[in-house]
Amino acid sequence: MAAEAWVGYRNFFSFTLLALNGLRKIENVDSANSSNEHLPPPSNLNVFKEDRFTLNWTWSPSENILLNQGCNLKYRSMINEKTKERSKNLWRSEYKNSDPNDAVCLKVRAECVERSYPYGESHWIKNCTLLSPGDPATSVTNFTCVWYNKEYMNCTWQPGKRVPPDTSYILYYRYGNLKSDQQCHEYSYKNQIAIGCHFSKLELPKEGKIYFMITDSSEKIRSIYSDVDLDSILKPSAPRIANISRTSDNEISVSWSNNLWPVRDACLRSEVEYKGDALDVEIFPVDKNRSFIIRRKCFPDECCTVRVRVKINKYCLESTWSDWSQKESLGEDGGRNYDSSVIYLLMIPLVGAATIILIIFLKRILVLLFPPIPDPAKLFKGMHLEQNGVWQWTEYSEASVCSKPVKEETCSLVLMESPYTSSSEN
């Protein structure tokens, strides 16, 4: 009995001590919460650029904080009021990224943390730095990237409004596995100015972020910084419609194939666009399948058009939509019609043959409308041969024509002389 009583007294005594300690902690927390700035802040907040992409901040620890009184000291930092971090480190490193003001601001404060909940804190200290000097109108705009079917990536941009004419843009990039900055190897140009960069599959990581910097060799423009998540810019290739037919209920059955990397059907999300004779367009969502029956009547005397596009759903990686497939339709004869581009290809030789025929008929019409003028030399030559080389002109009242010569007659002529007398001399 005495032993049991002793155990009961000991348990009661232990419980009383725990309760008193809990009350003391609650009092400490309440007193800390009553003053939001009862801790001394850190000091000497500095920033420096480690390389083209990385900014490093350092600061000195808070002074006069008694860590042996239960303060688990950590430093909470925020970059541009967005990226939050809490750790015991006296430094922070971050990749550069574009900001509307082209400036990066970091603020940091000290906190006493208990089970991830701060019960004491200091006021913030702040340091802002300009990412790139220069005229904002000289930096590139509309920087975008598209990762096509995990095979290659194209990034494009537009030159600045007040860019110097001799500007030579340079794109640098970096991601986790790269130990140093890399430069674009294949630019695309417009008016002899670089406006894009092509990345092959071997130059890209399989996933994650890529960080970019676009500047120029002369450093006369303001550089821009950007980062992209590969999954967010992934664009699958367009599907191909494999079969389209009319069911017994005059509905349309369509199936398609995807030229994608190995991906589970559960990750696929498709859209089927239907257009009937009424020119109304409907889009039907399709999940996890590569075939669909459109529950709309398409009778044999109607023309119904279908096309498909695909994306990876949000449960896998949430890609962008692919381009639409080629249009396939069921015509008035109930059969499958090919895309209009095929019809255009067939029309090319027909148009060429019609053009040749038209040119021949036009030539005949021109001969009838505008007969050729005869050559006078040829006419006279024929008349000369007809008259054996003998012809003359006979003058009529108003015109001269050529006629046959009359018969030639010969007359005799007698010359008589009078005698020469002497009387005549006298």
Side-chain angles (χ1 to χ4, degrees):
M1 293 295 292
E4 292 179 358
W6 170 248
V7 171
Y9 284 122
R10 187 179 61 182
N11 291 339
F12 176 77
F13 183 72
S14 300
F15 177 77
T16 303
L17 289 178
L18 290 175
L20 291 174
N21 289 333
L23 290 174
R24 188 178 296 111
K25 283 188 177 182
I26 293 174
E27 290 177 357
N28 291 336
V29 171
D30 291 339
S31 63
N33 289 335
S34 63
S35 176
N36 291 330
E37 297 183 0
H38 76 287
L39 295 180
S43 58
N44 300 324
L45 178 58
N46 296 310
V47 60
F48 64 93
K49 299 177 182 179
E50 181 178 341
D51 50 39
R52 288 191 180 96
F53 289 94
T54 311
L55 289 175
N56 284 334
W57 290 269
T58 60
W59 56 87
S60 300
S62 301
E63 299 178 354
N64 301 323
I65 295 181
L66 299 179
L67 302 180
N68 57 356
Q69 292 186 356
C71 177
N72 182 17
L73 182 62
K74 291 187 178 182
Y75 296 96
R76 184 179 183 87
S77 59
M78 295 178 63
I79 298 177
N80 290 345
E81 306 293 337
K82 298 177 183 178
T83 310
K84 301 178 182 179
E85 184 177 294
R86 181 188 290 150
S87 71
K88 294 184 177 182
N89 298 327
L90 297 175
W91 55 270
R92 182 169 177 178
S93 181
E94 193 77 17
Y95 279 108
K96 299 176 184 178
N97 198 351
S98 293
D99 185 82
N101 299 317
D102 289 325
V104 176
C105 295
L106 179 133
K107 63 180 185 179
V108 62
R109 73 181 180 188
E111 295 180 352
C112 285
V113 181
E114 179 68 25
R115 295 181 181 179
S116 301
Y117 181 80
Y119 62 87
E121 59 191 30
S122 71
H123 67 267
W124 294 98
I125 61 172
K126 190 175 183 179
N127 186 314
C128 295
T129 181
L130 188 65
L131 285 180
S132 177
D135 185 358
T138 61
S139 62
V140 302
T141 57
N142 297 332
F143 179 78
T144 57
C145 296
V146 180
W147 191 20
Y148 292 95
N149 208 45
K150 289 191 174 184
E151 296 175 357
Y152 63 93
M153 182 175 72
N154 286 339
C155 294
T156 58
W157 59 84
Q158 293 180 357
K161 295 180 180 179
R162 289 198 293 267
V163 63
D166 59 343
T167 298
S168 178
Y169 287 119
I170 299 177
L171 181 143
Y172 295 97
Y173 66 97
R174 190 173 184 178
Y175 52 86
N177 295 334
L178 291 179
K179 297 181 179 179
S180 61
D181 309 336
Q182 300 294 319
Q183 187 179 152
C184 175
H185 295 95
E186 187 176 346
Y187 290 98
S188 57
Y189 294 88
K190 182 179 181 181
N191 298 328
Q192 299 181 348
I193 297 179
I195 59 169
C197 179
H198 174 81
F199 297 86
S200 65
K201 186 176 183 178
L202 298 178
E203 295 176 302
L204 300 173
K206 294 182 179 180
E207 59 183 5
K209 280 189 175 183
I210 302 182
Y211 298 87
F212 299 96
M213 172 188 178
I214 302 179
T215 183
D216 72 326
S217 56
S218 63
E219 299 183 355
K220 295 180 181 178
I221 70 169
R222 174 175 286 193
S223 304
I224 71 159
Y225 300 86
S226 182
D227 66 84
V228 295
D229 190 336
L230 285 177
D231 290 344
S232 65
I233 62 171
L234 175 60
K235 184 176 183 178
S237 60
R240 185 183 66 86
I241 294 181
N243 181 59
I244 179 173
S245 59
R246 183 179 284 109
T247 66
S248 58
D249 296 330
N250 288 322
E251 297 175 341
I252 296 178
S253 174
V254 57
S255 62
W256 58 91
S257 60
N258 297 316
N259 184 23
L260 304 177
W261 63 96
V263 57
R264 296 179 294 114
D265 286 347
C267 294
L268 295 178
R269 179 175 177 84
S270 305
E271 285 187 345
V272 178
E273 182 190 83
Y274 166 79
K275 183 177 180 181
D277 270 353
L279 300 181
D280 53 334
V281 177
E282 294 183 82
I283 295 180
F284 303 93
V286 181
D287 291 323
K288 305 178 183 180
N289 290 318
R290 305 188 188 189
S291 61
F292 185 69
I293 295 180
I294 303 175
R295 304 297 181 179
R296 296 292 182 270
K297 298 297 183 180
C298 182
F299 296 100
D301 59 344
E302 295 178 346
C303 180
C304 304
T305 304
V306 176
R307 61 178 184 172
V308 183
R309 67 177 181 176
V310 67
K311 67 178 293 187
I312 309 302
N313 61 32
K314 62 181 180 180
Y315 302 106
C316 295
L317 54 82
E318 188 67 18
S319 72
T320 60
W321 285 104
S322 71
D323 293 329
W324 288 101
S325 68
Q326 289 188 344
K327 293 181 180 180
E328 298 288 352
S329 61
L330 291 174
E332 294 182 354
D333 57 353
R336 177 178 176 177
N337 292 336
Y338 293 97
D339 189 72
S340 57
S341 59
V342 179
I343 299 177
Y344 294 150
L345 292 176
L346 295 176
M347 288 179 63
I348 291 176
L350 296 177
V351 172
T355 303
I356 296 174
I357 296 173
L358 182 60
I359 291 174
I360 295 174
F361 276 98
L362 282 177
K363 188 175 181 180
R364 291 179 174 270
I365 293 173
L366 289 175
V367 171
L368 295 176
L369 294 177
F370 304 100
I373 300 175
D375 188 359
K378 294 181 179 180
L379 179 62
F380 290 141
K381 184 177 179 181
M383 296 172 62
H384 179 71
L385 295 175
E386 183 181 353
Q387 303 298 328
N388 296 322
V390 181
W391 57 278
Q392 65 180 4
W393 288 99
T394 302
E395 185 174 348
Y396 287 90
S397 58
E398 294 182 357
S400 297
V401 298
C402 182
S403 62
K404 294 183 179 180
V406 298
K407 185 177 180 181
E408 186 178 309
E409 294 183 357
T410 303
C411 299
S412 60
L413 179 62
V414 177
L415 179 60
M416 297 181 67
E417 295 182 357
S418 59
Y420 199 68
T421 61
S422 59
S423 61
S424 63
E425 294 177 356
N426 295 327

